[in-house]
């Protein structure tokens, strides 16, 4: 025996019964209207031999056994006149058990296809149980508990398009009777239940399974709410931020439009409107394509659109429909890009709807189909209800994109380090508050941090100016040699004095490169080549065929942006860029660990190498947790990281186009100072006359020389530690001993005095050799000289 109660936990013991309906007919049997009374007596006569129809049953096989009697009992409720129009069933509440239905409902289920199972949407099993308990509270205990929620069926139509049906229950014919297993519900129970909707175990304790007898049935009236539900689904989909970047987003979005327009053969695309260039740009998100742009990144609107669609979409911000692409393609003889692009994609009809806000066009919604005439100006009107939600999503996406751009600019150009962002945020809040009170007279407060300790370090390319000058000379020499060869050939054919004068000038410049290369030599030669040689060679190409191939070869070697040979300089610039990138990457990665040790301010700069500033102190952390032990720890970390950066550079030196050397330097300043953020330069700088001494030393010290020698204090293969106090010397010698033990530094340590800098005296330096490893995790360690010998071997 099958039982409708199986596999579904419920506080109800369900019995399908027609008792309440039959009682209604018993009253109608005494009606003064003989027609109504006669019909009622007929129903009573038919059911009388079968008391089970009143007592109730739970075996669905009885639906077939008493099919004729049930149909007659329900005849008034299911009028044959309305059967093809109404979507109606007789069923059990919250159960997908249907035992009588209108013709239209049967047709809907039939069109859904073989294997389709009717199932309520958005109704979890626990919610059904609790809603059943709410019915009991209202029916048996007199509470007025509002538990109603929209109940939906999702049923695909014959075309496979999902349609949505809302269910409305008529519960006039049900009886709910407590069994002996039903606990009595008190006011305290009720108070506890209404505060714990999600506690299913609590509800099951108060309403155990099958503790109440449910006798009767419900009549379900269903209404097609596909349009309303599609709009609701679209709103939910667009609001869900996490979905926008998922691959399923466009599939779900497309399905919503299929339901809304009732068209299975339908695709959706987007294009962004760029007002500045009057162009369309594609959307750079997964799964989103533009049928107007096809497979190109961007295109002027007037190139993509025909005149009529341009006026509608761009000028008037109204939708534009093409019901028959092939027809318009033939009419335009394939000359209009809009119809040609659509035809190439197999598109037969299309709707383009502007996404605009107060006459400002943001983008175009593209709906296309491979079926002609199925998309047209009539069903385009259905988009009116959904465009506000699309506009809202596009505006939000635009804001997020602009915020992302601003974040990138902040990170890459004017970064505010996370350790001090709190102070900027406080100042910004105060500024906005002041602006409300005093208007444009509000002033952004000064951002400063007092009593912070500075740390400065750099890893610098040695002799970068000399190497750059050499690369420049070699490029100019190469270009002049090429020019000289062509002029020589021309002179062999035509002995015009002007050609001889040009050759003399070329020889003079070549001599200048080798003997007296000055700061302005590069510009002089570049101007000569641009203003005198280039026009002449272009004239030769046009008028003298015999020189065309040679001159084309010359121009092929000229960089189109710089108008000069850019070969050796390109290798040098590429090398510097790679060194900066790789060194900065190592430093940034190590910084993450340092911030975990103790928060501090950090910034770095790329020059011909990488410089970094750090400031540490209680003013930055905002907490009373600072101790000088954290300063010492950061100094040791800095020294160790500089060693690791040097190692990383020399391990990868062979990958760079130009073989260069680097030298590392650390500046020690043992007194706390005050730093302030300079709004005009968008960076921190020291405050006060005394503190300025630190900046003076920092800017000049890398050019300092050892007293009495004329030699630069920084040297390849060594770390140079600049200081002025004996305490700093003692401190760093201890760090050096530790790093010697760790095989990062060798035993060659020297202490030297520096020539006086402008305004700064008494500066000394510790120089210590670095130990290198040819490969990461290698067991052998080399001095710089040993490393170079090993590399060259």
């Amino acid at each position: 025996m099958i039982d409708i109660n199986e596999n579904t936990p419920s506080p109800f013991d369900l019995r399908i019964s027609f008792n309440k309906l039959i009682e209604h007919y018993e009253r109608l049997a005494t009606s003064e209207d003989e027609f109504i009374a006669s019909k009622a007596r007929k129903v009573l006569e038919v059911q009388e031999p079968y008391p089970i129809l009143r007592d109730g049953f739970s075996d669905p096989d009885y639906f077939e056994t008493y099919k004729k009697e049930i149909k007659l009992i329900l005849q008034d409720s299911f009028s044959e006149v309305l059967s093809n129009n109404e979507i109606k069933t007789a069923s059990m509440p919250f159960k997908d058990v249907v035992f009588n239905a209108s013709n239209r409902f049967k047709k809907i289920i039939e069109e859904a296809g073989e294997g389709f199972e009717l199932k309520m949407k958005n109704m979890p099993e626990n919610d059904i149980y609790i809603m059943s308990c709410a019915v009991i509270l209202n029916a048996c205990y007199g509470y007025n508990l509002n538990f109603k929620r929209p109940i939906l069926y999702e049923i695909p139509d014959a075309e496979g398009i999902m349609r949505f049906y809302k269910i409305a229950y008529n519960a006039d014919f049900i009886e709910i009777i407590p069994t002996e297993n039903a606990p009595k519900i008190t006011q305290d129970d009720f108070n506890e239940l209404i505060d714990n909707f999600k506690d299913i175990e609590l509800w099951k304790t108060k309403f155990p399974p099958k503790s109440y007898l449910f006798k009767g049935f419900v009549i379900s009236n269903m209404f097609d709410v596909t349009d309303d539900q599609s709009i609701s689904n679209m709103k939910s989909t667009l609001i869900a931020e996490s979905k926008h970047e998922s691959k399923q987003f466009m599939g779900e979005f497309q399905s919503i439009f299929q339901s809304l327009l009732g068209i299975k053969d339908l695709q959706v695309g987007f294009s962004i409107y760029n007002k500045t260039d009057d162009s369309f740009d594609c959307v750079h998100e997964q799964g989103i394509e533009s049928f107007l742009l096809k497979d190109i990144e961007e295109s002027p609107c007037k190139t993509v659109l025909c005149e009529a669609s341009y006026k509608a979409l761009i000028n008037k911000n109204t939708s534009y429909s093409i019901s028959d692409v092939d027809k318009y393609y033939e009419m335009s003889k394939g000359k209009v890009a809009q119809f040609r692009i659509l035809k190439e994609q197999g598109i037969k009809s299309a709707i383009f709807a502007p996404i605009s806000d107060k006459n400002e066009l943001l983008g175009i919604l593209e709906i296309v189909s491979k079926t002609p005439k199925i998309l047209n100006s009539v069903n385009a009107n259905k988009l009116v209800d959904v465009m506000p939600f699309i506009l809202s999503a596009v505006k939000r996406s635009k804001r997020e994109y602009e915020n992302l751009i601003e974040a990138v600019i902040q990170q890459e150009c004017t970064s505010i380090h996370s350790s001090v962002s709190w102070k900027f945020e406080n100042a910004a809040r105060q500024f906005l508050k002041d602006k409300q009170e005093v208007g444009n007279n509000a002033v952004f407060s000064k951002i400063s941090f007092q009593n912070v300790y500075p740390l400065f370090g750099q890893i610098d390319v040695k002799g970068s100016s000399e190497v750059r000058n050499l690369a420049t000379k070699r490029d100019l020499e190469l270009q002049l040699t090429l020019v000289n060869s062509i002029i020589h050939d021309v002179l062999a054919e035509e002995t015009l004095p002007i050609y001889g004068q040009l050759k003399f000038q070329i020889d003079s410049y070549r001599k200048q490169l080798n003997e007296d290369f000055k700061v302005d030599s590069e510009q002089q030669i570049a101007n000569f080549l641009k203003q005198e040689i280039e026009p002449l060679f272009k004239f030769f190409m046009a008028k003298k065929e015999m020189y065309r191939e040679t001159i084309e070869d010359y121009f092929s070697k000229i960089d189109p942006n710089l108008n000069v040979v850019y070969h050796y300089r390109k290798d040098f610039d590429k090398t510097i860029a790679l060194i900066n990138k790789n060194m900065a990457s190592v430093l940034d990665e190590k910084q993450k660990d340092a911030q975990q040790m103790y928060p501090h301010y950090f910034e770095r700069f790329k020059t011909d190498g990488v410089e970094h500033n750090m400031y540490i102190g209680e003013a930055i952390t905002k907490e009373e947790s600072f101790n000088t032990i954290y300063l010492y720890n950061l100094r040791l970390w800095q020294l160790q990281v500089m060693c690791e950066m040097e190692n990383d550079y020399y391990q990868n030196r062979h990958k760079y186009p130009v073989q260069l050397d680097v030298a590392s330097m650390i500046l020690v300043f043992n007194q706390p100072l005050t730093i302030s953020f300079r709004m005009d330069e968008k960076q921190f700088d020291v405050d006060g006359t005394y503190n300025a001494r630190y900046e003076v030393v920092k800017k000049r010290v890398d050019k300092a020389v050892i007293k009495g020698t004329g030699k630069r204090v920084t040297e390849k293969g060594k770390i140079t530690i600049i200081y002025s106090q004996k305490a700093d010397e003692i401190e760093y010698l201890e760090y050096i001993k530790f790093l010697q033990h760790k095989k990062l530094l060798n035993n060659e340590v020297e202490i030297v005095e520096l020539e006086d800098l402008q305004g700064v005296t008494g500066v000394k330096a510790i120089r210590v050799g670095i130990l290198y490893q040819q490969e990461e995790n290698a067991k052998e360690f080399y001095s710089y000289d040993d490393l170079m010998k090993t590399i060259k071997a």
Side-chain angles (χ1 to χ4, degrees):
M1 172 182 168
I2 302 172
D3 194 309
I4 59 174
N5 291 290
E6 289 180 358
N7 304 319
T8 307
S10 171
F12 291 135
D13 182 6
L14 297 172
R15 294 286 185 272
I16 295 167
S17 166
F18 302 97
N19 181 57
K20 293 282 284 185
L21 181 56
I22 292 169
E23 287 178 351
H24 184 63
Y25 277 116
E26 286 174 341
R27 290 190 292 274
L28 291 177
T30 60
S31 172
E32 294 179 359
D33 188 321
E34 183 54 33
F35 177 79
I36 294 175
S38 174
K39 192 170 186 180
R41 288 193 293 272
K42 178 64 175 175
V43 170
L44 294 172
E45 181 184 335
V46 167
Q47 61 81 36
E48 189 173 7
Y50 311 106
I52 194 172
L53 296 176
R54 299 191 72 156
D55 296 339
F57 58 87
S58 59
D59 185 349
D61 286 345
Y62 285 131
F63 292 143
E64 187 63 32
T65 304
Y66 302 107
K67 181 178 180 180
K68 180 180 176 182
E69 290 75 16
I70 291 173
K71 185 175 182 180
L72 183 63
I73 292 170
L74 295 175
Q75 190 176 60
D76 286 343
S77 301
F78 288 81
S79 169
E80 283 297 326
V81 176
L82 302 175
S83 188
N84 292 326
N85 182 270
E86 290 184 332
I87 311 173
K88 182 185 284 191
T89 66
S91 63
M92 297 299 286
F94 313 130
K95 294 277 290 182
D96 300 312
V97 177
V98 175
F99 55 87
N100 200 71
S102 66
N103 290 339
R104 187 176 173 193
F105 177 84
K106 293 175 183 176
K107 185 179 180 183
I108 288 170
I109 297 300
E110 181 183 340
E111 289 180 347
E114 188 177 348
F116 173 77
E117 293 184 7
L118 194 64
K119 189 172 184 181
M120 285 182 291
K121 179 180 167 62
N122 71 339
M123 195 58 64
E125 187 177 280
N126 287 349
D127 285 12
I128 292 175
Y129 196 103
I130 293 170
M131 288 179 74
S132 299
C133 297
V135 172
I136 294 169
L137 286 169
N138 290 356
C140 298
Y141 295 96
Y143 291 107
N144 185 21
L145 192 61
N146 188 348
F147 59 88
K148 293 182 179 179
R149 281 180 54 200
I151 303 173
L152 300 174
Y153 280 136
E154 281 187 2
I155 307 175
D157 65 12
E159 301 297 323
I161 299 167
M162 193 61 68
R163 304 199 68 80
F164 300 89
Y165 300 90
K166 186 176 181 180
I167 306 167
Y169 285 136
N170 180 335
D172 289 345
F173 309 115
I174 66 171
E175 300 173 81
I176 299 175
I177 305 164
T179 70
E180 60 184 15
N181 297 323
K184 181 73 174 176
I185 301 298
T186 66
Q187 184 66 44
D188 288 342
D189 292 329
F190 177 77
N191 294 340
E192 184 180 8
L193 288 167
I194 61 175
D195 288 334
N196 294 278
F197 178 81
K198 293 296 183 181
D199 189 348
I200 184 64
E201 295 306 320
L202 173 65
W203 288 87
K204 286 183 176 180
T205 301
K206 307 296 184 185
F207 301 93
K210 295 187 178 181
S211 55
Y212 289 81
L213 178 64
F214 179 99
K215 285 179 62 177
F217 68 98
V218 294
I219 295 176
S220 303
N221 290 282
M222 289 185 284
F223 308 92
D224 189 332
V225 292
T226 301
D227 287 1
D228 293 341
Q229 190 61 33
S230 296
I231 293 170
S232 176
N233 289 347
M234 180 171 294
K235 185 177 179 181
S236 300
T237 301
L238 292 172
I239 288 173
E241 297 182 26
S242 59
K243 282 189 174 184
H244 289 194
E245 296 179 1
S246 70
K247 293 181 180 178
Q248 293 82 17
F249 171 70
M250 277 309 291
E252 293 177 11
F253 200 62
Q254 199 160 274
S255 177
I256 291 168
F257 273 102
Q258 289 173 347
S259 295
L260 179 66
L261 298 176
I263 301 170
K264 183 68 174 176
D265 174 23
L266 177 151
Q267 291 177 277
V268 179
F270 289 95
S271 50
I272 300 170
Y273 178 64
N274 183 334
K275 184 178 181 180
T276 305
D277 299 331
D278 191 30
S279 66
F280 289 136
D281 298 342
C282 65
V283 180
H284 295 284
E285 287 189 26
Q286 281 188 341
I288 301 180
E289 57 184 319
S290 169
F291 302 101
L292 280 173
L293 294 173
K294 196 180 176 185
D295 50 8
I296 59 177
E297 289 284 314
E298 57 88 23
S299 178
C301 298
K302 289 185 177 178
T303 300
V304 174
L305 302 175
C306 66
E307 185 177 348
S309 59
Y310 184 90
K311 286 180 180 178
L313 294 168
I314 310 299
N315 295 339
K316 298 181 180 179
N317 289 177
T318 57
S319 63
Y320 185 82
S321 306
I322 307 171
S323 61
D324 192 335
V325 171
D326 289 344
K327 171 186 171 183
Y328 287 98
Y329 177 81
E330 295 297 330
M331 288 173 60
S332 65
K333 299 180 181 179
K335 293 180 180 179
V336 177
Q338 178 178 340
F339 307 127
R340 184 176 67 253
I341 291 169
L342 295 176
K343 185 174 176 63
E344 286 172 357
Q345 298 171 84
I347 295 167
K348 304 295 184 183
S349 59
I351 297 171
F352 301 112
I355 305 168
S356 61
D357 180 34
K358 298 176 182 176
N359 296 322
E360 180 188 355
L361 184 63
L362 303 178
I364 301 293
L365 170 66
E366 307 168 4
I367 304 176
V368 301
S369 174
K370 295 187 177 180
T371 304
K373 299 182 177 63
I374 202 166
L375 293 172
N376 50 66
S377 63
V378 176
N379 51 21
N381 282 308
K382 297 197 76 173
L383 301 179
V384 171
D385 296 324
V386 300
M387 291 309 290
F389 304 119
I390 296 174
L391 171 61
S392 178
V394 170
K395 286 170 66 178
R396 185 184 69 192
S397 180
K398 184 181 179 183
R399 284 196 303 271
E400 289 171 352
Y401 186 66
E402 289 170 350
N403 291 341
L404 182 61
I405 289 175
E406 186 176 341
V408 171
I409 293 171
Q410 284 287 328
Q411 180 177 336
E412 299 298 326
C413 307
T414 57
S415 176
I416 301 299
H417 193 260
S418 57
S419 63
V420 295
S421 61
W422 63 272
K423 194 142 190 174
F424 285 86
E425 290 168 5
N426 288 348
R429 291 190 189 97
Q430 187 62 46
F431 176 75
L432 293 175
K433 182 180 177 182
D434 293 345
K435 198 169 184 180
Q436 284 183 332
E437 295 175 359
V438 300
N440 293 331
N441 292 323
V443 177
F444 197 88
S445 60
K446 183 179 180 180
I447 305 293
S448 62
F449 297 92
Q450 297 180 339
N451 294 319
V452 294
Y453 291 88
L455 296 91
F456 173 77
Q458 69 176 32
I459 183 165
D460 191 39
V461 175
K462 291 295 290 181
S464 59
S465 298
E466 291 82 356
V467 178
R468 182 182 282 108
N469 285 340
L470 179 59
T472 302
K473 288 167 66 175
R474 293 176 72 181
D475 277 340
L476 293 173
E477 173 64 32
L478 175 58
Q479 189 167 354
L480 287 171
T481 300
L482 293 170
V483 171
N484 188 61
S485 176
I486 295 171
I487 296 296
H488 181 273
D489 292 344
V490 172
L491 271 171
E493 294 293 327
E494 302 178 65
T495 55
L496 293 179
I498 189 64
Y499 298 152
Q501 190 271 333
L502 285 174
K503 190 173 189 315
F504 171 77
Q505 206 166 346
I506 292 166
D507 291 339
S508 298
Y509 281 132
R510 293 176 73 182
K511 183 178 180 181
Q512 182 180 333
L513 283 175
N514 294 319
E515 298 177 3
D516 190 27
F517 186 71
K518 299 177 182 177
V519 176
D520 62 342
S521 297
E522 178 183 357
Q523 191 60 48
Q524 287 179 9
I525 297 171
N527 289 339
F528 165 72
L529 294 167
K530 175 69 176 173
Q531 295 168 11
E532 299 190 42
I533 297 300
E534 184 178 318
L536 180 64
F537 281 6
K538 288 182 177 178
F539 168 75
F540 286 162
M541 287 178 67
K543 302 296 183 181
K544 300 180 183 294
E545 187 66 33
M546 61 189 298
Y547 304 125
R548 175 180 290 276
E549 186 175 342
T550 307
I551 294 174
E552 283 180 347
D553 178 64
Y554 166 79
F555 279 120
S556 71
K557 293 178 170 64
I558 304 300
D559 184 274
N561 297 317
L562 302 175
N563 293 311
V564 292
V565 169
Y566 181 58
H567 175 70
Y568 296 105
R569 279 172 290 183
K570 185 177 182 180
D571 284 346
F572 174 79
D573 290 342
K574 185 177 180 182
T575 299
I576 294 295
L578 285 171
I579 290 173
N580 288 347
K581 177 185 175 184
N582 293 339
M583 292 299 95
S585 176
V586 172
L587 185 59
D588 289 348
E589 193 61 33
K590 295 294 182 181
Q591 243 295 301
K592 295 176 184 177
D593 297 332
Q595 290 292 343
Q596 293 298 318
M597 297 174 191
Y598 193 82
H600 56 277
Y601 178 80
F602 169 81
E603 62 182 356
R604 60 162 174 75
F605 308 95
K606 295 177 182 178
T607 53
D608 282 357
V610 177
E611 300 177 359
H612 65 270
N613 286 318
M614 294 184 290
Y615 298 99
I616 187 170
E618 197 166 287
I620 289 175
T621 56
K622 199 175 56 170
E623 298 175 2
E624 296 181 3
S625 61
F626 179 72
N627 187 288
T628 51
I629 190 67
Y630 296 117
L631 169 64
Y632 303 146
N633 183 73
L634 194 59
R635 285 176 172 173
L636 177 58
W637 171 88
Q638 181 189 36
L639 184 56
Q640 184 167 327
V641 166
M642 298 292 282
C643 294
E644 293 177 11
M645 289 171 69
E646 283 249 3
N647 253 291
D648 185 274
Y649 171 73
Y650 282 108
Q651 285 170 11
N652 294 287
R653 184 172 181 260
H654 63 283
K655 299 177 183 178
Y656 300 131
V658 179
Q659 300 299 295
L660 300 171
D661 282 305
V662 297
S664 297
M665 184 268 289
I666 289 172
L667 173 62
V668 184
F669 196 78
N670 68 345
Q671 294 296 318
L673 43 74
T674 298
I675 58 172
S676 296
F677 189 78
R678 299 172 72 98
M679 293 296 178
D680 52 346
E681 297 178 11
K682 298 291 186 266
Q683 68 180 40
F684 278 100
D685 206 347
V686 297
D687 249 0
T689 306
Y690 173 74
N691 293 335
R693 181 174 182 270
Y694 171 72
E695 284 296 327
V696 171
V697 176
K698 189 170 72 172
K699 290 174 181 176
R700 296 173 182 169
V701 74
D702 66 328
K703 302 292 190 299
V705 296
I706 300 172
K707 183 174 284 188
T709 67
K711 291 173 57 179
R712 288 274 291 271
V713 67
T714 56
E715 185 177 332
K716 59 190 178 185
K718 295 181 179 181
I719 281 189
T720 300
I721 303 163
I722 310 293
Y723 64 98
S724 59
Q725 302 294 321
K726 185 64 177 178
D728 298 331
E729 179 183 301
I730 296 170
E731 178 186 341
Y732 272 86
L733 287 174
E734 290 299 319
Y735 298 155
I736 288 168
K737 285 181 184 178
F738 175 66
L739 296 183
Q740 286 171 335
H741 172 72
K742 292 191 70 175
K743 301 292 185 183
L744 291 177
L745 299 173
N746 66 22
N747 294 323
E748 300 174 8
V749 180
E750 58 178 328
I751 298 174
V752 297
E753 289 187 39
L754 306 186
E755 295 285 359
D756 291 346
L757 302 170
Q758 184 178 351
V760 181
T761 61
V763 180
K764 300 175 74 175
I766 301 173
R767 304 203 308 173
V768 57
I770 301 169
L771 286 178
Y772 298 95
Q773 299 163 275
Q774 272 194 279
E775 297 177 1
E776 197 173 350
N777 300 322
K779 294 182 179 179
E780 292 186 87
F781 300 91
Y782 304 87
S783 68
Y784 174 80
D785 291 335
D786 292 335
L787 180 68
M788 291 299 104
K789 290 176 185 176
T790 306
I791 290 173
K792 293 173 182 177

